Amino acid sequence: MGTASSTLTQYDIEDVQEHCNNLFSQQEIVSLYKRFCQLDRSAKGFISADEFLSVPEFAMNPLSQRLLKMVDGLNFKDFVIFLSAFNPKASTPQKIELIFKVYDSDYNGKVSFQDIMEVLRDLSGSFMSDKQIEEVLIKVLEEAGYSKDSSLLLGDFVKILDHPGLKMEVEVPVD
Amino acid sequence: MSKLKSSDMELDFDRPNIEDYLSTDSIQEPSGKLRLRDLLDISPTLTEAGGAIVDASILSLSGDSFTRCFKSNPPEPWNWNVYLFPLWCLGVVVRYGILFPVRVLILTLGWMIFLSCYIPVHLLLKGHDKLRKKLERGLVELLCSFFVASWTGVVKYHGPRPSARPKQVFVANHTSMIDFIILEQMTAFAVIMQKHPGWVGLVQSTILESVGCIWFNRSEAKDREVVARKLREHVEGPDNNPLLIFPEGTCVNNHYTVMFKKGVFELGSTICPIAIKYNKIFVDAFWNSKKQSFTTHLLQLMTSWAVVCDVWYLEPQNMKPGETPIEFAERVREIISARAGIKKVPWDGYLKYSRPSPIHRERKQQAFAESVLRRLEDK
């Protein structure tokens, strides 16, 4: 299923389901495939950055550029695997892992002070100066026992973010 | 995909605060002392992005995303079994083999009659403007009736047509260019339209000129001032045909209305709303201009059984004291949507043609920044 075919076979569905650890039902996978084909207008087998940006709600998201780096060029199977973090049945560590990957833009397994600064810049736009962001970040880092030079690993993220209030759930519309 | 030009940004000062529509309930207003966890937790923003990617319904209070307004939903195939399939085949034969040629004949006849009357009238009565205009109006109405007949248009008109008064503008929801034809067969309106290429453009520049038409070009930002001026001039001219405007600015699939552009609501005229609803059982009248040309669209209509629709002429509205043009526009949109039984969504139709402006992102960023700075103060 490397290139887009307009039909999704039962075998493909089961294959994708297996790869996302059965988080999505077969109906949801079919629904996601319809959505994938709707976005992949030129039927290339992957969705380009431009095609993602044609969804207005995505384009206006402050983290759209960072997310684009992660989703640009994904084939359908990887698209579903990416979205599985949003499944209500996904574990909290799996969700935190997605959050970690958004911060860790160079994929070196470490999130530095600079990485966090960049995300905060995206989120606050022109409404907070770099100085303000730095001050706030240093303050909360120190209160949590880290310093400006600390590099946070996935384990740190899990420790910091794992709490029952963390919700990152999207329901796949099924016709 | 064209890049967002700076001229496109002028489009957004039209619309009311979208944040009023977008649900902030999904993002709980955080409070209390700011901790590292709060700063790092980007899950709400990611959830919005994820929802956008899968087209989930969490994104707006009305529960419908932008792309749904322009989706043509093909009806469930009903010809799937051994009894229904031959019936369907028979239907195809009747539609393409009998109805279509008859309709083409009717349309050709209509054009012939129209042209043979219009051209002489237009050339010979140059001096007698009032009479000429009256005849041309009647001829255009006639031609539109022929068009409607060529799709076996069954149009039910409801409500008293408002009598012609000065400073009156008619507004309607927009599904296809045939909206114009259906309304025009009853009353020769003047319209404001996007200039189209091909034969449609030719018709626009010749015949429609005679009923009075204002052209615009969506991609020209400066165009808006020019158009606003032309609108004002037209409405104030006593001899001009009543103006018909589709304030959505684009064709929508007749299940939703997108936001009305405020331009016509600022003129200080009486607004006469018209609601149009097509019956999808017979044909889906939505013209997806990105997917098919107008010619293809017409051919599709001419090979269907019928175009059945309801047209409601609604009570004329005036701007209430203390109401802004945007509020007025939304109030009229509510009247039309309620009458036609379709949903309102908070999207700007022009998003079909250009990217959303940075303003939306900026509003989110501002909310985030203010929340962080505020909580920093909390001890």
Side-chain angles (χ1 to χ4, degrees):
Chain A
M1 213 199 350
T3 51
S5 47
S6 47
T7 50
L8 193 69
T9 67
Q10 183 61 25
Y11 174 75
D12 294 327
I13 298 175
E14 285 171 9
D15 185 35
V16 170
Q17 205 178 21
E18 208 188 293
H19 272 90
C20 68
N21 293 319
N22 286 305
L23 282 173
F24 287 116
S25 71
Q26 298 206 350
Q27 252 192 320
E28 286 174 324
I29 292 179
V30 171
S31 233
L32 284 173
Y33 189 68
K34 280 201 193 129
R35 178 61 175 169
F36 185 87
C37 293
Q38 190 186 39
L39 291 172
D40 176 17
R41 255 169 275 163
S42 32
K44 311 177 287 303
F46 62 89
I47 307 172
S48 65
D50 222 47
E51 286 164 342
F52 273 111
L53 289 174
S54 72
V55 182
E57 301 92 329
F58 182 82
M60 51 176 93
N61 192 295
L63 295 178
S64 55
Q65 288 304 316
R66 293 189 89 91
L67 285 168
L68 272 181
K69 280 211 294 198
M70 295 168 74
V71 296
D72 184 12
L74 288 182
N75 66 17
F76 179 61
K77 202 191 295 186
D78 295 328
F79 176 72
V80 174
I81 293 173
F82 172 79
L83 290 173
S84 61
F86 292 97
N87 193 299
K89 293 183 282 187
S91 67
T92 308
Q94 188 183 353
K95 294 179 191 285
I96 297 176
E97 194 180 335
L98 179 63
I99 295 177
F100 183 82
K101 286 200 187 126
V102 172
Y103 279 94
D104 180 21
S105 47
D106 52 7
Y107 303 130
N108 64 355
K110 294 191 284 211
V111 168
S112 67
F113 186 84
Q114 274 311 313
D115 289 331
I116 306 179
M117 281 274 298
E118 277 172 22
V119 171
L120 287 173
R121 272 196 208 109
D122 285 341
L123 289 174
S124 58
S126 53
F127 297 94
M128 274 177 85
S129 68
D130 271 9
K131 193 157 166 297
Q132 280 176 311
I133 299 177
E134 207 178 306
E135 272 176 27
V136 173
L137 190 51
I138 291 178
K139 182 167 182 286
V140 294
L141 274 174
E142 283 177 357
E143 279 170 12
Y146 297 96
S147 78
K148 190 176 169 194
D149 306 312
S150 317
S151 283
L152 298 172
L153 305 173
L154 178 57
D156 296 306
F157 259 67
V158 173
K159 202 164 56 157
I160 297 165
L161 290 174
D162 193 347
H163 69 103
L166 183 76
K167 250 175 88 92
M168 203 164 78
E169 286 173 14
V170 170
E171 213 181 280
V172 175
V174 172
D175 303 314
Chain B
M1 194 91 174
S2 59
K3 293 206 175 40
L4 188 63
K5 302 187 282 276
S6 58
S7 58
D8 291 325
M9 297 195 194
E10 292 169 35
L11 291 172
D12 29 80
F13 294 105
D14 258 4
R15 63 176 83 104
N17 197 340
I18 285 225
E19 300 302 305
D20 291 339
Y21 290 96
L22 288 175
S23 163
T24 44
D25 297 343
S26 54
I27 307 169
Q28 289 299 91
E29 257 305 308
S31 56
K33 193 162 175 293
L34 192 69
R35 314 218 322 256
L36 179 60
R37 175 210 296 176
D38 306 309
L39 218 51
L40 289 183
D41 186 359
I42 49 174
S43 59
T45 312
L46 289 185
T47 308
E48 282 184 356
I53 292 175
V54 304
D55 196 20
S57 309
I58 58 162
L59 298 168
S60 63
L61 286 175
S62 76
D64 292 287
S65 70
F66 177 71
T67 38
R68 287 213 187 154
C69 305
F70 305 98
K71 239 196 322 189
S72 334
N73 297 312
E76 282 296 315
W78 57 271
N79 56 358
W80 46 269
N81 75 10
V82 75
Y83 302 107
L84 298 175
F85 188 69
L87 221 77
W88 178 77
C89 287
L90 184 64
V92 171
V93 166
V94 170
R95 279 189 290 131
Y96 284 81
I98 303 175
L99 289 181
F100 181 66
V102 170
R103 288 169 174 172
V104 170
L105 237 76
I106 292 176
L107 194 56
T108 317
L109 185 68
W111 273 103
M112 277 170 27
I113 295 178
F114 174 77
L115 288 171
S116 60
C117 296
Y118 185 86
I119 295 177
V121 165
H122 192 71
L123 295 174
L124 297 177
L125 290 179
K126 267 270 157 67
H128 309 88
D129 266 358
K130 255 216 157 108
L131 180 62
R132 177 171 66 90
K133 284 216 149 150
K134 197 152 171 255
L135 288 177
E136 285 177 352
R137 225 173 285 179
L139 284 173
V140 171
E141 286 176 19
L142 183 69
L143 181 64
C144 288
S145 304
F146 271 100
F147 259 107
V148 173
S150 76
W151 329 304
T152 313
V154 180
V155 187
K156 192 147 182 229
Y157 296 92
H158 306 258
R161 249 186 308 155
S163 33
R165 258 183 235 115
K167 295 200 91 173
Q168 220 179 36
V169 178
F170 289 79
V171 307
N173 58 317
H174 201 26
T175 306
S176 157
M177 283 224 289
I178 69 174
D179 294 336
F180 165 67
I181 299 176
I182 285 172
L183 293 176
E184 193 80 1
Q185 73 161 350
M186 268 285 140
T187 325
F189 289 109
V191 258
I192 166 170
M193 290 174 96
Q194 164 84 37
K195 203 62 185 286
H196 285 271
W199 69 270
V200 180
L202 184 62
V203 171
Q204 285 179 320
S205 21
T206 49
I207 297 165
L208 294 181
E209 277 295 340
S210 68
V211 287
C213 286
I214 301 172
W215 311 121
F216 70 84
N217 209 331
R218 231 171 243 132
S219 43
E220 309 253 327
K222 282 285 175 280
D223 199 53
R224 280 201 336 164
E225 294 156 20
V226 175
V227 167
R229 185 176 42 83
K230 287 189 196 172
L231 273 182
R232 189 159 280 130
E233 279 168 12
H234 185 102
V235 168
E236 285 170 9
D239 289 329
N240 290 329
N241 288 328
L243 193 61
L244 171 65
I245 290 194
F246 299 105
E248 288 170 300
T250 189
C251 293
V252 187
N253 69 5
N254 209 224
H255 287 287
Y256 303 96
T257 50
V258 297
M259 303 220 294
F260 279 8
K261 306 228 159 292
K262 71 171 177 358
V264 70
F265 298 91
E266 302 176 304
L267 297 174
S269 342
T270 311
I271 302 287
C272 304
I274 302 177
I276 308 177
K277 179 85 173 103
Y278 292 90
N279 190 331
K280 274 186 87 165
I281 295 179
F282 296 93
V283 75
D284 183 358
F286 170 49
W287 177 37
N288 194 336
S289 55
K290 302 220 142 200
K291 283 219 173 120
Q292 46 177 205
S293 69
F294 189 58
T295 315
T296 317
H297 176 61
L298 278 186
L299 288 175
Q300 193 199 327
L301 293 177
M302 286 170 81
T303 52
S304 317
W305 288 107
V307 172
V308 178
C309 66
D310 286 284
V311 172
W312 290 274
Y313 292 97
L314 302 168
E315 205 182 308
Q317 302 288 325
N318 282 299
M319 190 148 81
K320 294 197 175 130
E323 202 177 32
T324 66
I326 292 178
E327 287 167 350
F328 185 29
E330 282 301 292
R331 184 164 62 85
V332 172
R333 182 160 83 108
E334 171 63 51
I335 294 171
I336 292 179
S337 308
R339 182 67 272 201
I342 60 186
K343 279 173 107 170
K344 284 165 42 192
V345 287
W347 299 107
D348 179 345
Y350 275 19
L351 285 178
K352 228 176 163 191
Y353 305 98
S354 65
R355 291 279 160 79
S357 87
I359 281 203
H360 300 114
R361 185 181 309 162
E362 280 167 19
R363 289 216 180 101
K364 289 179 200 273
Q365 290 168 331
Q366 186 174 16
F368 175 80
E370 284 174 0
S371 164
V372 167
L373 292 172
R374 185 177 34 88
R375 290 177 69 181
L376 206 57
E377 305 299 311
D378 295 348
K379 291 296 178 238

